[in-house]
Amino acid sequence: MVSIGYFLSSEEHGPRDLVRQARWAQDAGFERLWISDHYHPWNDQQGQSPFVWSVIGALSEATTLPITTAVTCPTIRTHPAVIAQAAATAAVQCEGRFVLGVGSGEALNEHILGDPWPSASRRLEMLEEAVEVIRKLHTGEDVEHRGKHYTVENARIYTLPDQPVPIYVSAFGPKSAQLAGRIGDGFCSTMPDAELVKRFRETGGHGKPAQAGFKVCHAASVDDALETAFRLWPNEQLPGELAQVLPSPKHFEQASTLVTKDMVASSLPLGPDPESYVSAVREYVDAGYDEVYVSQIGPDQEAFFTFWAAEVAPRLPG
């Protein structure tokens, strides 16, 4: 059976709003939470970007839902030894209901300290070593690590959960899906791509959880929903590797001038018809995902949760 979660957007909402949404999500019957980890939003219209680890601490007190970061980049902006400590603390706060979702990141967030932006293959190499460092530190032992990309000296994490924090790896192409299968305890994506899930399963991910999330925009009419989605999230329709290489919100705004309303309208559920939301969930289920996360675009969050509980949830596949 698929598990349905809510995807908290740190690019669009401040910390107190995210906690409020998590409570609404639990009351509406959502079973788990995703939360994005960004330094910048994708564009200025989205307008937020709180520090995810502070928000997770608040979420741990506000709900009892499992939480996954979707996703944290543990390679450039933040050293993996620091991420290891943050994830261990989050797992203790959540009483073990925490998953560290990791990925190779975007220049949008990772360039801020002036580091060069590596090639895709080098980023995956760095991610693999970062996961190795995090797992060493989660043993609670003294760690010395001198690798190709990271050095850790006389480090030990004292505040640890009873079990090591599961690490799920994000993938959007065959190479990263293969890495996720080889080193991940699970898989994260935002694409209903059965071939990606298959690659993950065949390269070591058999029997491990696969998560995916997507955006929706509920409103009184399709036109109202489209206006909101087009204003806030045109960047979702940018092709290829642009999302990984553009360095600032203004560059995403410039690139997004190439995105049309028709492109947005054809890409996500919009408006009041519950069947469009059910169909979108089913697409991810059919692709092989075990957990599916939904994110409502725009400020009208409370109405969305009421709609979901009353109109969508009863129609979902059991």
Side-chain angles (χ1 to χ4, degrees):
M1 291 178 63
V2 66
S3 180
I4 306 297
Y6 190 69
F7 185 0
L8 297 165
S9 174
S10 296
E11 303 87 352
E12 197 183 330
H13 303 285
R16 297 182 68 84
D17 285 337
L18 292 169
V19 172
R20 188 178 302 114
Q21 290 166 24
R23 292 194 186 101
W24 287 337
Q26 183 163 315
D27 291 344
F30 286 93
E31 297 174 325
R32 52 193 67 243
L33 297 170
W34 254 17
I35 184 166
S36 52
D37 178 1
H38 269 231
Y39 195 89
H40 294 131
W42 300 99
N43 58 56
D44 282 357
Q45 283 291 318
Q46 293 166 7
Q48 295 285 340
S49 206
F51 187 57
V52 72
W53 301 103
S54 300
V55 179
I56 289 169
L59 293 174
S60 73
E61 292 293 314
T63 83
T64 58
L65 299 180
I67 300 168
T68 302
T69 54
V71 291
T72 291
C73 179
T75 60
I76 298 175
R77 168 173 47 113
T78 313
H79 193 283
V82 177
I83 294 296
Q85 185 187 28
T89 297
V92 171
Q93 290 174 306
C94 296
E95 298 181 307
R97 300 183 305 274
F98 177 75
V99 170
L100 177 62
V102 298
S104 60
E106 302 95 11
L108 174 71
N109 303 301
E110 305 307 316
H111 80 280
I112 60 168
L113 302 179
D115 299 279
W117 185 235
S119 67
S121 59
R122 187 173 179 85
R123 297 200 309 270
L124 290 178
E125 183 182 85
M126 295 171 72
L127 180 62
E128 181 169 3
E129 185 177 339
V131 169
E132 178 187 355
V133 168
I134 293 166
R135 287 205 169 112
K136 284 180 178 180
L137 286 162
H138 282 175
T139 65
E141 298 175 358
D142 291 321
V143 172
E144 293 272 347
H145 176 92
R146 300 189 184 278
K148 182 175 181 179
H149 302 288
Y150 304 107
T151 297
V152 179
E153 186 172 288
N154 298 328
R156 178 183 173 188
I157 293 178
Y158 282 79
T159 299
L160 289 164
D162 292 336
Q163 300 295 325
V165 179
I167 301 175
Y168 292 9
V169 178
S170 171
F172 297 95
K175 289 182 180 179
S176 52
Q178 184 172 339
L179 179 67
R182 184 160 55 81
I183 72 169
D185 298 310
F187 174 65
C188 306
S189 189
T190 57
M191 303 164 64
D193 188 330
E195 286 302 312
L196 274 186
V197 179
K198 181 181 178 183
R199 176 67 66 95
F200 164 70
R201 302 282 189 211
E202 291 178 345
T203 55
H206 181 71
K208 297 177 182 179
Q211 306 177 330
F214 66 96
K215 295 194 177 296
V216 305
C217 191
H218 169 260
S221 70
V222 171
D223 286 345
D224 288 347
L226 179 56
E227 287 293 332
T228 299
F230 182 68
R231 176 173 61 86
L232 291 171
W233 287 91
N235 58 283
E236 288 277 290
Q237 304 311 310
L238 295 177
E241 295 184 35
L242 284 178
Q244 281 74 53
V245 301
L246 294 178
S248 73
K250 71 178 180 181
H251 291 101
F252 278 91
E253 290 165 5
Q254 292 165 4
S256 293
T257 61
L258 302 174
V259 176
T260 67
K261 283 188 177 180
D262 286 344
M263 292 166 67
V264 174
S266 65
S267 67
L268 74 162
L270 298 166
D273 180 9
E275 287 302 327
S276 64
Y277 300 81
V278 174
S279 296
V281 171
R282 188 175 292 116
E283 190 175 6
Y284 283 86
V285 174
D286 291 347
Y289 289 98
D290 307 291
E291 302 171 15
V292 178
Y293 296 80
V294 180
S295 182
Q296 162 72 359
I297 294 172
D300 202 0
Q301 295 283 316
E302 190 170 13
F304 163 78
F305 288 114
T306 300
F307 163 74
W308 185 274
E311 302 292 336
V312 180
R315 293 175 163 87
L316 291 175

